[in-house]
Amino acid sequence: MSAPQTITLDSVVPGMEFGETVFGPIDRVDIVRYAGASGDFNPIHTDEEYARRTGAPTVFAMGMLPAGYLAHALSDWCGGPHRIRRFKVRFTTRVWPGDELLCVGRVTTIEGELVRLELEARRRGTGPDDIDIADEETAIVAEAEVAFGEGAWA
């Protein structure tokens, strides 16, 4: 886990990369807890037999769980959630029980007090026994806008 950083607009430059933040390994309890917190009780995420009947090799995390971890990393990199103005994600693969989630980010542009970033969350793990997948692959690609200055309650 990470902790919020104290950064200023003056310390941010295009191309700046934020250090890796790793969450997990994500386990079935995390998935069930997220189901309860989010209200997403789709059994494909929590019921092994149901997941197999639908063609999945096992249960897997709902996309918003790793997206939440990526938002947590973004918040910590940029000094807190009050600075986040926009957060847009695209899911690219499933996150399986036992996976770690590796989050990275890079500043793309700065316009006034608004900083734009590209983000990525990679699943890292062996995945289910029944499928052949890479040990690390991109699970989410994202974009964010973060505000600095007085308008951001800094």
Side-chain angles (χ1 to χ4, degrees):
M1 292 269 188
S2 59
Q5 298 179 19
T6 303
I7 62 171
T8 63
L9 184 59
D10 294 337
S11 67
V12 179
V13 296
M16 176 180 173
E17 294 186 2
F18 292 95
E20 296 177 348
T21 301
V22 179
F23 297 94
I26 296 169
D27 61 27
R28 290 171 188 253
V29 173
D30 296 324
I31 295 169
V32 170
R33 286 181 177 152
Y34 188 82
S38 68
D40 183 352
F41 292 104
N42 183 335
I44 200 164
H45 301 297
T46 57
D47 183 328
E48 180 78 27
E49 289 181 30
Y50 181 87
R52 288 184 181 274
R53 281 196 312 270
T54 65
T58 188
V59 299
F60 53 92
M62 28 314 248
M64 293 306 293
L65 176 57
Y69 284 125
L70 183 57
H72 181 124
L74 171 65
S75 172
D76 287 352
W77 293 328
C78 295
H82 61 283
R83 294 190 171 174
I84 300 172
R85 296 294 177 266
R86 183 173 163 271
F87 182 66
K88 178 181 175 183
V89 301
R90 183 172 57 87
F91 307 109
T92 58
T93 194
R94 294 176 176 165
V95 174
W96 305 99
D99 282 350
E100 289 182 322
L101 200 68
L102 172 77
C103 302
V104 295
R106 184 178 66 81
V107 174
T108 56
T109 62
I110 301 170
E111 291 181 21
E113 295 181 344
L114 192 66
V115 177
R116 290 188 178 85
L117 301 99
E118 292 177 344
L119 311 165
E120 185 176 278
R122 299 182 196 127
R123 60 155 294 280
R124 182 168 53 195
T126 58
D129 293 336
D130 302 348
I131 61 174
D132 182 30
I133 58 174
D135 287 345
E136 186 173 308
E137 58 188 338
T138 301
I140 297 174
V141 291
E143 302 170 0
E145 293 178 354
V146 179
F148 286 83
E150 291 182 30
W153 314 297

